[in-house]
Structure formats: C-alpha cells, structure tokens
C-alpha cells in the first residue's frame, strides 16, 4: 500500500503561498571598510503595516494595506555616515520607531508618524540590530552587544544609560529578542549562538550541546538566521551559511537541560539559510535560501525527474518528494522558500521565489504576508504565506437538538 498523502489546513503555506507584487529596492554598494562588507538587507516591517526599505542611501516606506499606495521617501543618508546597511522597525512598545544604521557607524532613530529624526549617535560599527521591550540592541564588528533605551530624551542621556557586554569573538550578524522580552539570542560569523536572560544580561545562559564539559550552541558556518517559536516558547531555531554554499537549521531547547530527542534537532541543507520565520497561526516554520552549493558535473546528465530511490525520513531528505525537473549541478532549494512542519520538521512545500540570491525576508506583523529581499534583482517580492485561521463553526441549538 502506498502511504496516504498528507493533508494540510486551509491556512497552511501549502495552500496559501503565492506571489502578490514587487517593490523597487536596492542596496548601496559595499565600500572598503569591514562594516560595509557585512551582509546588508535594509528592509523591515512596521507594526502599523508599513514596509520600510532602502533604495541606495535613501530610505522609503510603503503602506502595505493600500495596494495602490506609492512609496514615500523618509530620509537620505549623508555621505559622511557611509552607506545604509540596516533598517529595524520597533516592536509593540515602539510601534512607530525606525532604527537606521550605516557602514560609518551612524545610528538614527526616526518617528515615522512625525517623519522626523528623534535621536542619532555614532559608534565604531553596526552589524546587527533588534528591538526588545524598551530596548534597542546593537551588535558590532568586534562581538560587543550594546543595549540602548530608545526613550532617552537625547543622545547624552542615551549613552549614560548604555549597557554593553562582550562575549562573542567575531562580528555579530543576527540578534532576536523573544516576544515576551525575557531572552535575547545572538549569532556571530564564527557560528556561535548565545542566549541571554534579560534579568542577568552580563552572562549568557549555559545551554546547548555538551562540548568539553560545557554547553555550547555552535554552527559550522556563520549564523545568518534566528527565530523564536511563538507557541512552543522554549525553542530557538537558528540557521547558518558556509563558504561552500551549504547551510544547517538547528533546533535548540533553551529550558530543558536534557531535551527530548523525539523530534529532529538538525537538518543539513545544500543551500545557505538566509532567514527563518514561525507562523503565529499554524505549526509551521519557513526558511529562505541562497544560491546554494554547486556540485561538480557528473559524467552523464540524468534526464528523469529527481525522486527518491528508497523511502527516507523527512530528516534524511526533506525534499526528495519534489516531482520537478531540476538542474543536477545546483541545489534543489536554490533561491527558494521552504516550509516545514514544526517540531517534526516534515517538509510541507518548496517554491523558487527568485533567480538570484534571496538575501533575507521580513514577516508582516499579522503573519499573513512576507517580503523577500532580492538585491541582485533590485526587488522586494511580496508574497502571501499563511492564511487566516477559521475556527470550525459550532453547531446551532437546532442542529444539536433536531430529531433525526
């Protein structure tokens, strides 16, 4: 007997994932300094449903609730600050705040409603940013984390209240606060992931795998994606990118010292992991991927569809069921979005979304749409990703009491 085809809820990405439109977008060319060479993907999504993004050194925003709305310019980065590298929108406690960072170490906070800059300061380099509960956390080239209070009345008071800590030994590429503000996760170019308790921010938590008598969360490649699970809050999922073009997704339990091994905790892929997102509506995890690893050409080129020759588990090859013709020399998930069930990590769907590198993505605040950043195509690609959950209709009193 052949196994039954899996079924998916109507609001699953399996049914919903589709292209909507595109937005013109560009990243300022990298300069010679170290901060400018860090991966740049200046785009973020505001709580009020506006996407804020870069066009070179100009910052624009677009109301995503109105499909006819034309993008408006917020500001232009002056040449003395270098190139625009990062944009980060505030969370629920800073719904109208936008943080900008430049290759020259400039940081600016803007009020999008008032359309004015409220704070600005300079530091040596900025390689990552994220907002927490009344905090803006900034990671730098040397592995230092700085926690700023965006409510400070001026830059002098801001720096007086600054808290900083250095535990990473390399450029901090990603940082993400849990939605409840209790934990912060950070990842660097050397593959190290650290988790911090907001109550004790000077020392990272002792979590991860046992390595030489201590626990450690370590990737092979640079950490390029982080996501906290919103409905199984003890899980942190991380992704990396190696120089060879491969990537790995890891699942970490930051609460239990001896976590259950019932579900997969590691998936090795032949393409870089550039972003990760959980759906707030359904138990699914989305990952985006770069061009991937290019394999040497075989002596003969197969002309049949790529299929699994023997039954495998989703962990061994989550994409073996793809019944499409693919280039045998490139990754099957090259420049694609992949959706997994969580925590089983079973493959749901894979869709190619670009011809060039998907540098990253941002999820809408309501979790229904996603924007893929594809700088080499000069586009932001807007897609539907997860639908609205519709609870089953409760039977009426007449239906429950009717005589059959």
């Amino acid at each position: 007997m052949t196994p039954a085809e899996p079924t998916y809820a109507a609001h699953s990405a399996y049914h919903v994932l589709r292209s909507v439109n595109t937005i013109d977008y560009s990243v300022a060319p990298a300069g010679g300094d170290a901060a400018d060479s860090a991966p740049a993907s200046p785009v973020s999504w505001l709580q009020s449903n506006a996407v804020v993004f870069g066009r070179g050194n100009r910052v624009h925003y677009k109301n995503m609730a109105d499909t006819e709305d034309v993008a408006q310019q917020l500001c232009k980065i002056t040449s003395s600050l270098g190139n625009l590298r990062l944009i980060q929108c505030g969370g629920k406690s800073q719904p109208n705040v936008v943080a900008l960072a430049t290759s020259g170490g400039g940081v600016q906070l803007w009020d999008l409603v008032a359309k004015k800059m409220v704070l600005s300061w300079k530091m040596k380099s900025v390689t990552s940013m994220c907002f927490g509960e009344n905090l803006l956390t900034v990671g730098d080239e040397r592995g230092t984390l700085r926690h700023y209070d965006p409510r400070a009345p001026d830059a002098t008071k801001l720096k007086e209240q600054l808290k900083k800590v250095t535990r990473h030994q390399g450029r901090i590429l990603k940082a993400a606060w849990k939605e409840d503000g209790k934990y912060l996760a950070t990842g660097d170019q050397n593959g190290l992931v650290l988790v911090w308790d907001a109550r004790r921010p000077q020392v990272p938590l002792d979590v991860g795998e046992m390595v030489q008598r201590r626990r450690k969360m370590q990737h092979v490649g640079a950490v390029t994606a982080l996501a906290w699970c919103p409905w199984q809050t003890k899980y942190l999922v991380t992704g990396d990118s190696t120089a060879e073009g491969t990537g790995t997704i890891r699942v970490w339990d930051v609460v239990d010292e001896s976590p259950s091994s019932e579900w997969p905790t590691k998936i090795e892929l032949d393409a870089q992991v550039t972003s990760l997102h959980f759906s707030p509506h359904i138990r699914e995890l989305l990952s985006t991927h770069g061009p991937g690893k290019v394999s040497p050409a075989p002596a003969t080129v197969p002309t049949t569809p790529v299929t699994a020759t023997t039954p495998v588990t989703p962990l061994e090859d989550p994409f073996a069921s793809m019944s499409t013709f693919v280039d045998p020399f490139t990754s099957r998930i090259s420049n694609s979005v992949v959706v997994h069930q969580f925590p089983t990590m079973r493959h749901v769907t894979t869709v190619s979304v670009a011809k060039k590198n998907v540098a990253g993505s941002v999820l809408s605040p309501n979790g229904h749409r996603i924007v893929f950043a594809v700088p080499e195509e000069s586009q932001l690609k807007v897609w539907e990703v997860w639908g609205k959950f519709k609870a089953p209709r409760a039977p009426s009193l007449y239906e429950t009491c009717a005589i059959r």
Side-chain angles (χ1 to χ4, degrees), residues 372-384:
F372 303 111
V374 190
E376 293 175 63
E377 295 182 18
S378 300
Q379 286 187 336
L380 296 174
K381 297 175 180 281
V382 185
W383 284 57
E384 297 280 0

Side-chain angles (χ1 to χ4, degrees), residues 75-91:
C75 65
K76 180 182 179 181
I77 302 298
T78 60
S79 58
S80 62
L81 294 176
N83 291 325
L84 176 66
R85 307 310 288 162
L86 297 171
I87 295 176
Q88 186 65 49
C89 293

Side-chain angles (χ1 to χ4, degrees), residues 11 31 54 58 62 71 92 161 165 194 236 255 298 364 367 371:
H11 58 300
R58 298 175 187 269
K62 177 177 168 55
K92 293 179 180 179
Q161 298 172 348
V165 59
L194 296 176
L236 169 70
V255 175
S364 66
V371 165

Side-chain angles (χ1 to χ4, degrees), residues 270-271 289-292 330-337 351-355:
D270 58 357
H289 301 276
T330 60
S331 165
R332 284 175 285 180
I333 58 173
S334 170
N335 307 320
S336 295
V337 55
V351 179
S352 175
V353 297
K355 295 180 180 179

Side-chain angles (χ1 to χ4, degrees), residues 129-199:
M129 292 193 302
C130 69
F131 277 94
E133 184 69 28
N134 295 320
L135 280 177
L136 172 63
T137 297
V138 178
D140 73 9
E141 182 73 24
R142 297 184 178 182
T144 299
L145 285 169
R146 291 174 171 83
H147 303 293
Y148 296 96
D149 187 341
R151 300 168 298 176
D154 53 55
T156 301
K157 195 68 175 177
L158 181 91
K159 292 182 178 181
E160 288 177 359
Q161 298 172 348
L162 167 66
K163 297 177 182 179
K164 66 178 183 178
V165 59
T166 303
R167 283 301 178 100
H168 287 278
Q169 300 301 312
R171 176 189 297 163
I172 299 174
L173 296 178
K174 291 293 176 181
W177 280 97
K178 273 187 72 177
E179 190 173 359
D180 60 12
K182 292 182 178 179
Y183 295 114
L184 168 71
T186 55
D188 66 28
Q189 64 180 7
N190 300 320
L192 178 65
V193 178
L194 296 176
V195 175
W196 311 80
D197 189 326
R199 297 165 297 181

Side-chain angles (χ1 to χ4, degrees), residues 289-360:
H289 301 276
K293 183 177 180 180
V294 179
S295 303
T300 59
V301 180
T303 57
T304 56
V306 175
T307 57
T309 55
T310 57
V312 295
T313 66
L315 181 59
E316 290 168 340
D317 187 354
F319 313 106
S321 62
M322 293 171 60
S323 58
T324 57
F325 288 88
V326 296
D327 184 339
F329 312 127
T330 60
S331 165
R332 284 175 285 180
I333 58 173
S334 170
N335 307 320
S336 295
V337 55
V338 182
V339 181
H340 324 256
Q341 291 180 337
F342 191 86
T344 64
M345 298 305 287
R346 292 182 181 274
H347 176 244
V348 175
T349 187
T350 298
V351 179
S352 175
V353 297
K355 295 180 180 179
K356 299 291 185 179
N357 177 38
V358 181

